[in-house]
Amino acid sequence: MRVTLSALDTSESSFTPLVVIELAQDVKEETKEWLKNRIITKKKDGGAQLLFRPLLNKYEKETLENQNLYLVGASTIRLLLGAEAVGLVKECNDNAMRAFTYGTRHNFKGFHDNNDDFLTMAECQFIIKHELENLRARDERMIPGYPQAKLYPGKSLLRRLLTSGIVVRVFPLHDNEALKKLEDTWYTRLPFKYQPIDSIRAYFGETIALYFGFLEYFTFALLPMAIIGLPYYLFVWEDYDKYVIFASFNLIWSTVILEVWKRGCANMTYRWGTLVMKRQFEEPRPGFHGVLGINAVTGREEPIYSSFKRQLRIYLVSLPFVCLCLYFSLYIMMIYFDMEDWALSIHEDSGSEWTSALLYVPSIIYAIVIEIMNRLYRYAAEFLTSWENHRLESAYQNHLVLKVLVFNFLNCFASLFYIAFVLKDMKLLRQSLATLLITSQILNQIVESLLPYWLQRKHGVRVKRKVQALKADIDAPLYEQVILEKEMGTYLGTFDDYLELFLQFGYVSLFSCVYPLAATFAVLNNFTEVNSDALKMCRVFKRPFAEPSASIGVWQLAFETMSVISVVTNCALIGMSPQVNAAFPDSKTDLILIVVAVEHALLALKFILAFAIPDKPRHIQMKLARLEFESLEALKQQAQQVADDLKEAQAGGEAAC
């Protein structure tokens, strides 16, 4: 017998809290009751059919300060049917990866009727988030108790509640036992050990696991550059003629590591099921607004906004603003060079050890200013991109990444290009590169992990004292956990983490032939970055909702673009070396033509390598082809069954006549 959602009981006694919903303190009772009913009501009646209860009962709320915190869970069957609805892919008993269906659940590895571990906690929380986000308005024209919070048929209730300030936040709870096990094998382990990527994926989801997988891979990929660069630094420090070989190796390295990563990523995501997971039709993003209309593709009622108006906002406001910021960045850069000249003049006048140290001060100040400008610009870019009113989250992310990358690239690398190709001062280039790289790494470690961890520890001590002082008969461990996690910072995604690696890749691939220790410092930073990032995921930020992902997305293109720029940069540096210039004492035109020809040849070699190395291993390609064949066969059988049923109906009708 097929189990349907309408057969499920939302009053199940066994309740495992998975997600927390925090309402504003002054939310009206009728609003709370309406929200509760929509969450627990059956799917056929427009509800989510989930389990829902307050963190504190009425007596506890009177004893303690009023906390509008509610816990959301789901029965095992509800979660399994939800897994089918979102299209989760699991491994079958024949080792193939297929979309999970409740009707064929016994064909999947690890499934038993009395087994509650078939779905990971991250997958369960993702399913609940999906169901909450898909609670849609039906006949309501407003949120009860809030006439200003307008609704229309098909509008996401959770998004309206969040934008109206009625719901403060929605976040998944940590599993303290599973988290402790993960920590023991992750950042509290001995150094120089592989990360438990599969365990990270099971706890935090594929997007987070892919970031840590890429961080680990990139760190080990830097080792050849670091091993070659260390003796190069020690033995030919001032001999810039020798960096031709180092630059040539750099060109091949930057291409091969990205292509090999794509193969490793395909292996991981196939094993996790996200490589074959079908993408659903994208819903409008939460901040999208417009005049209510009918979507021509889905036929659903949703906001409609003119693409012409969006283009006007992009080209008449956003683009000029970005250009103005780029100009301001260049202006700050010229101030930095004035400071360099000032420090150099003081050193030449006195020549003391104190003034020798003063030579590094302008670079340190400039590195700090760069970090501040990058963060301020990030806020401006987010505001502008949101104001552009993109319908899809993917379009929003693409425009935001483009804005941020362009500014960060110019802000971080413009001074290095100016020193290398205008001033042609290789000693200053080496000094500036070293200072920018090391200072930015130290600042990121402090701002992203150490400072938030220290603040979180102080808050945790206060909450524990408060809970220990309570005399009310409450579930103290759960209450303490929810209050602690409620006050944790919100993890805003892997954007900043990938951006840090992107800039690091730029420092290494563009100019490391001038400063060979760049890769060594990057490796040392990344070994500590793994632990500091793991610490902030486990102890500093709220647990993020898991998000299925099949790759690192637009960042793969960003890294590949940087590797193309590195070809041009390294060829130009080779052409500027005294060794190469000595071979063309009379004609610089011939030198330029040869450098351009070599650059084009290397770019051609780069694209040939990218084409020759398949993005997916052969065995993965075969498995994907097999799945596609099975899908086509299933469609044929379904079509044949429909045709047979029609023939039987027609035959029955003729017989009756």
Side-chain angles (χ1 to χ4, degrees), residues 410-469:
L410 185 74
N411 205 26
C412 294
F413 299 114
S415 61
L416 300 178
F417 278 101
Y418 186 82
I419 295 170
F421 302 118
V422 178
L423 300 181
K424 299 182 180 179
D425 187 343
M426 296 304 168
K427 185 175 181 179
L428 179 58
L429 176 62
R430 182 186 67 204
Q431 174 187 313
S432 299
L433 175 60
T435 307
L436 286 173
L437 177 63
I438 297 170
T439 306
S440 64
Q441 290 177 346
I442 293 173
L443 287 175
N444 282 326
Q445 293 282 2
I446 294 173
V447 173
E448 290 184 3
S449 299
L450 299 181
L451 181 60
Y453 178 68
W454 178 73
L455 294 174
Q456 181 59 32
R457 285 290 297 270
K458 288 188 67 176
H459 172 71
V461 171
R462 290 197 301 269
V463 171
K464 287 182 179 180
R465 287 175 182 170
K466 180 179 176 180
V467 173
Q468 289 171 0

Side-chain angles (χ1 to χ4, degrees), residues 156-209:
S156 171
L157 297 181
L158 182 61
R159 292 172 179 176
R160 172 58 73 205
L161 290 166
L162 285 167
T163 55
S164 301
I166 299 169
V167 171
V168 178
R169 58 179 66 90
V170 179
F171 62 94
L173 276 174
H174 275 293
D175 181 344
N176 289 326
E177 184 178 346
L179 183 62
K180 183 65 171 64
K181 291 180 181 178
L182 178 61
E183 289 176 321
D184 291 341
T185 58
W186 197 5
Y187 68 89
T188 59
R189 75 199 195 291
L190 294 173
F192 311 115
K193 183 180 178 183
Y194 287 110
Q195 297 180 89
I197 299 297
D198 287 332
S199 299
I200 297 170
R201 174 255 170 181
Y203 193 85
F204 288 109
E206 290 79 15
T207 299
I208 304 295

Side-chain angles (χ1 to χ4, degrees), residues 70-138:
Y70 295 84
L71 305 175
V72 183
S75 65
T76 302
I77 297 177
R78 178 70 184 87
L79 290 170
L80 292 173
L81 292 170
E84 178 178 349
V86 300
L88 286 186
V89 175
K90 292 286 187 177
E91 186 177 8
C92 293
N93 293 323
D94 61 356
N95 299 322
M97 303 297 296
R98 294 187 178 87
F100 176 81
T101 59
Y102 187 82
T104 60
R105 59 193 181 279
H106 293 288
N107 296 336
F108 290 85
K109 277 188 178 180
F111 181 86
H112 304 286
D113 287 327
N114 57 352
N115 181 14
D116 294 333
D117 297 330
F118 178 70
L119 297 176
T120 66
M121 188 174 182
E123 290 172 336
C124 295
Q125 290 167 335
F126 170 69
I127 291 167
I128 288 180
K129 174 175 175 278
H130 176 269
E131 296 299 337
L132 290 175
E133 287 182 338
N134 278 277
L135 275 175
R136 304 285 176 177
R138 305 186 89 184

